[in-house]
Amino acid sequence: MTTSPSVAVITGASSGIGAVYAERFAARGYDLLLVARREDRLRELAAKLESLHGINVQTLTADLAKESGMQAVEEALRSNERISVLVNNAGVAHLAPFTAGSAELHQADIALNITALTRLSLAALTRFQAQNSGTIINIASVVSLHAIAGSAVYSGTKGYVLNFTRGLQQEIEGSNVRIQAVLPAVTATEIWEVSGVSMDHLAPESIMTTENMVDAALAGLDQGEAVTVPPLHDLALWEAYETARLAIFDASRTGVPAPRYQQ
Ligand SMILES: NC(=O)C1=CN([C@@H]2O[C@H](COP(=O)(O)OP(=O)(O)OC[C@H]3O[C@@H](n4cnc5c(N)ncnc54)[C@H](OP(=O)(O)O)[C@@H]3O)[C@@H](O)[C@H]2O)C=CC1
Ligand SMILES: N[C@@H](C=O)C(=O)O
């Protein structure tokens, strides 16, 4: 009896980081379900990966900032029992002063970066927990840890992705389900043109290729990391940050205002 390959669902697979995740999961023998709005790009990538790797690739054209798009992907995640990987990668950035953006623009960015990621995680994780297997990869950002002028909404959404992932990781502890948060820094993709900041304005030495970013992130996944920061060389910095973060949380359970606030 032959068993069908598992399926990896990759959102935002029509360019950049998502397209490389598609290639890497194809090389690992997965069938794919590729999601984005640009159908021509998805079909082109699907044809290439099918012919290179002999796998089956489905495409789903969906706007994940819209209810109908979210529902279409939720339905696939709920109904296809072969899906064992979800890469929540689709995301958008508009890097400009907060008050220069409209309510509609901010709402659409939040819908894609937060709402869609949350709903697709729910659809996938419900089944993954029931079958005690499956992997979710959530693409956050180093700006999950820091915000600068012009990145308030984008950093806010990516902060959500990191903390949301941390919460889920606590809930699945002890099971065979895996959830990883990936925090890329500057990576050479189209997101920069969309964001309003050209990559030409960035320090060339700070820019990582999509291939290096995804390969490092997958190495982190294979090593069992919960949070992977591909370009961070000094791991001691991360460990100090984690230690301080947890220490502040624990030390805040005093029930008493700190002396500096007592008048
Ligand atoms: N590049 C960087 O420097 C960094 C990127 N990231 C994150 O990496 C992820 C991937 O981005 P990246 O590869 O850089 O950028 P790209 O712009 O190359 O890719 C974004 C992907 O998301 C898809 N997408 C955008 N809007 C929608 C939508 N409304 N519905 C469905 N799909 C959508 C795009 O496809 P389509 O337009 O066809 O819909 C595209 O496939 C994002 O979450 C981003 O925040 C994090 C840190 C750094
Ligand atoms: N995507 C980048 C900004 O647009 C980032 O997360 O650093």
Side-chain angles (χ1 to χ4, degrees):
M1 190 180 87
T2 55
T3 50
S4 304
S6 291
V7 175
V9 177
I10 297 153
T11 69
S14 60
S15 63
I17 291 167
V20 178
Y21 266 110
E23 289 178 17
R24 297 308 191 250
F25 276 104
R28 290 180 179 213
Y30 284 79
D31 285 343
L32 301 173
L33 175 60
L34 306 180
V35 182
R37 293 167 303 179
R38 286 171 292 181
E39 192 174 1
D40 53 337
R41 295 265 201 119
L42 291 180
R43 283 181 188 274
E44 197 181 317
L45 181 60
K48 180 180 123 184
L49 296 180
E50 283 188 329
S51 114
L52 269 179
H53 299 284
I55 57 162
N56 179 271
V57 185
Q58 304 289 318
T59 62
L60 201 172
T61 310
D63 185 340
L64 288 172
K66 299 209 169 116
E67 179 63 31
S68 57
M70 291 185 218
Q71 279 183 10
V73 186
E74 282 174 327
E75 172 54 25
L77 289 165
R78 288 198 195 102
S79 62
N80 185 346
E81 293 187 351
R82 289 175 50 219
I83 294 173
S84 67
V85 173
L86 168 64
V87 185
N88 270 317
N89 165 75
V92 69
H94 289 102
L95 302 176
F98 176 59
T99 52
S102 65
E104 290 73 23
L105 180 79
H106 295 322
Q107 190 170 323
D109 290 359
I110 291 166
L112 177 63
N113 294 6
I114 293 183
T115 311
L117 178 136
T118 305
R119 286 178 49 172
L120 302 194
S121 296
L122 178 63
L125 189 54
T126 303
R127 200 162 48 70
F128 291 175
Q129 279 186 312
Q131 67 197 32
N132 194 26
S133 68
T135 300
I136 298 177
I137 300 171
N138 286 335
I139 307 300
S141 167
V142 284
V143 303
S144 299
L145 309 172
H146 183 60
I148 55 174
S151 85
V153 171
Y154 181 66
S155 296
T157 64
K158 292 300 181 177
Y160 174 90
V161 174
L162 176 58
N163 249 0
F164 171 68
T165 305
R166 287 192 204 279
L168 295 186
Q169 286 167 344
Q170 304 278 325
E171 294 183 19
I172 58 157
E173 210 173 304
S175 79
N176 290 326
V177 179
R178 293 282 325 277
I179 309 183
Q180 178 199 31
V182 177
L183 278 58
V186 177
T187 311
T189 73
E190 297 168 16
I191 202 169
W192 291 96
E193 289 308 324
V194 176
S195 77
V197 175
S198 164
M199 284 209 311
D200 298 341
H201 294 114
L202 306 174
E205 67 277 10
S206 71
I207 303 174
M208 188 177 280
T209 65
T210 49
E211 289 80 7
N212 281 343
M213 204 303 285
V214 173
D215 288 338
L218 286 171
L221 180 75
D222 295 340
Q223 289 164 26
E225 279 191 350
V227 180
T228 298
V229 191
L232 181 67
H233 290 222
D234 186 353
L235 190 60
L237 280 177
W238 177 257
E239 287 164 353
Y241 174 76
E242 286 293 273
T243 301
R245 185 176 67 81
L246 294 170
I248 290 169
F249 180 72
D250 285 340
S252 300
R253 300 197 218 189
T254 63
V256 177
R260 66 187 175 281
Y261 304 126
Q262 295 181 25
Q263 301 183 353

